[in-house]
Amino acid sequence: MYLQGEFDFGIPEPPWRPKRPDRVFYGLFLQPKDYSRFADCQNRLCSQCGITGSRLLCQRFHVSLQHVGDYKRLRTKTIFAAARSGRRIAMPEFEVTFRHFRSFPGRPATRGSPAKHPFVLLAEDGPVCELSTKIGAEMLREGLKASDGFVPHLTLAYDQKLVPQQPIDPISFVAREFILVHSLRGLKKYVFPECWPLSAM
């Protein structure tokens, strides 16, 4: 007698998905011309700090501005409210500069799962923080939760190590639009429901 599951039919297992697989946030993405500079920075800092965990692909490099939420099932009304919040923002283009890096606490170790700490570049105070604050205020108007102490950052990698804050030679890029992002967690895929240009001066 054979038990169910004993045969290999060649069907690949589906990718692991978290309990809340749908994440929504606002972000600033790099342009392709910026990829190589930031990839070089990623390689240099990861080697310097002994970061051996998973590194983000340069095409996924972005500055997180505000976190809308993680959901078991993303509802249309959430995207609608987040989009209404973004549409009310008006700002000129600006430069985002990073002068420090560090690890965030991230996810602690659990049984069978090691710690996962984001290794990030910290955005300097200025227009990027102003944009984060403006988005947060509009989110609250729409009944969404927002952080008044959100730290804009660019994640380079995830690792078990916790690296204290340290300075680097400045590295920057010009932000020309901000984007509402639907992240399909576990699938390493982003969907962009809406984006808004930052007006050129």
Side-chain angles (χ1 to χ4, degrees):
M1 178 178 178
Y2 293 100
L3 299 177
Q4 185 177 3
E6 194 169 332
F7 295 103
D8 180 6
F9 293 103
I11 302 173
E13 291 187 10
W16 174 86
R17 303 294 306 279
K19 291 182 179 178
R20 297 178 182 271
D22 293 307
R23 171 171 291 171
V24 181
F25 66 93
Y26 300 88
L28 300 170
F29 280 73
L30 274 64
Q31 297 181 55
K33 67 182 181 63
D34 300 312
Y35 290 166
S36 61
R37 290 187 301 110
F38 278 80
D40 289 345
C41 179
Q42 178 193 50
N43 291 333
R44 184 175 66 255
L45 293 180
C46 286
S47 297
Q48 173 184 324
C49 299
I51 298 295
T52 59
S54 59
R55 301 185 186 185
L56 268 71
L57 297 174
C58 58
Q59 294 89 343
R60 293 169 61 87
F61 284 162
H62 65 273
V63 176
S64 301
L65 294 168
Q66 280 282 354
H67 181 74
V68 178
D70 294 343
Y71 306 93
K72 290 183 178 179
R73 183 174 63 84
L74 183 59
R75 298 185 176 183
T76 303
K77 68 177 184 179
T78 302
I79 291 293
F80 181 77
R84 277 174 58 96
S85 301
R87 290 185 199 119
R88 289 196 291 264
I89 304 295
M91 279 187 65
E93 296 178 354
F94 58 84
E95 189 170 73
V96 184
T97 302
F98 306 90
R99 299 180 188 273
H100 294 86
F101 67 91
R102 60 168 290 188
S103 295
F104 284 162
R107 187 188 70 193
T110 58
R111 283 185 297 179
S113 180
K116 189 177 181 181
H117 304 303
F119 181 61
V120 309
L121 298 175
L122 297 175
E124 188 176 50
D125 286 347
V128 66
C129 293
E130 180 185 350
L131 177 57
S132 175
T133 299
K134 285 186 173 184
I135 293 172
E138 296 299 337
M139 289 169 64
L140 293 174
R141 284 181 61 185
E142 290 294 329
L144 299 170
K145 294 181 179 179
S147 170
D148 58 1
F150 194 83
V151 180
H153 60 276
L154 186 152
T155 301
L156 298 173
Y158 293 93
D159 195 75
Q160 297 183 49
K161 292 186 66 174
L162 268 173
V163 179
Q165 183 165 317
Q166 300 171 54
I168 57 168
D169 291 335
I171 184 170
S172 61
F173 73 95
V174 176
R176 292 189 165 88
E177 65 181 7
F178 69 102
I179 300 175
L180 181 63
V181 185
H182 174 197
S183 173
L184 282 66
R185 302 173 66 204
L187 300 181
K188 296 184 178 180
K189 181 178 179 181
Y190 289 151
V191 177
F192 305 123
E194 202 158 335
C195 70
W196 304 273
L198 298 166
S199 57
M201 295 296 289

